[in-house]
Amino acid sequence: MHPHLKEVLFTEKEIESRVKALAHEISTDYAGKNPLIVGILKGSIMFTVDLLKALSIDAQVDFMDVSSYGNGLSTSGEVRILKDLDTKAQGRDILICEDIIDSGNTLLYVKNLLAHRGANSVKIISLLDKPAGRKVKINGDYIGFEVPDEFVVGYGIDYAERYRQLPYIGIFNTDFLIKD
Ligand code: PRP
Ligand code: MN
Ligand code: MG
């Protein structure tokens, strides 16, 4: 375990098996629909790639970079588009792929935006859900794991751009907070 973590929540193997189960569900539900998987940069990189690899149906992938956190520990509520889709949303069955739903601000914004652009359907898959963090009413359609009200990192999820590379997910030890 990385020395800046307090505890491992989900091992590499546990994540792998949960992602495969989710991919199986998606492959059934979206058979013949050629869904557009929209990964939200950067936190969802690992999950998006692993999910794609485990799908048994045709699908396409695109990315949006939407940020609401900056380097702080709590959400600002402000959502900014840093990179938009290259693909037209019109008429597509879109599955937004996230690493974590916390306040819900990011996903509420992206979901409304893509629906407004005329997508045929917009659903959400998130590896993690932190219900205690919710500030707006939004829920995932497919969830990997529920997490407690702690700061989690790893498998794409950062604190101040660190720890994304870890192949497992754990609780950040706040003794290692960066002070300014
Ligand atoms: C994090 C995380 C989710 C979002 C969840 O992204 O990856 O996208 O915050 O929080 P919310 O439900 O309160 O909106 P962040 O904005 O930190 O960007 P990153 O993915 O590049 O780390
Ligand atoms: Mn993110
Ligand atoms: Mg972040």
Side-chain angles (χ1 to χ4, degrees), residues 22-38 51 55-60 92-97 111 120-125 141-142:
L22 287 168
H24 187 78
E25 263 192 78
I26 300 300
S27 297
T28 304
D29 295 355
Y30 284 86
K33 290 189 168 170
N34 189 29
L36 178 63
I37 313 293
V38 173
L51 184 76
L55 290 179
S56 57
I57 54 164
D58 285 335
Q60 293 179 350
R92 299 301 302 266
D93 290 297
I94 295 179
L95 187 60
I96 304 168
C97 187
K111 191 176 182 182
N120 185 55
S121 66
V122 185
K123 288 195 171 182
I124 291 167
I125 183 166
D141 299 283
Y142 304 91

Side-chain angles (χ1 to χ4, degrees), residues 6-7 9 73 100 102 130 132 147-153 170-174:
K6 214 160 68 173
E7 183 190 330
L9 285 177
L73 272 180
I100 186 166
D102 190 348
K130 190 198 279 184
V147 292
D149 196 11
E150 299 266 11
F151 203 88
V152 298
V153 295
I171 299 178
F172 177 64
N173 179 345
T174 49

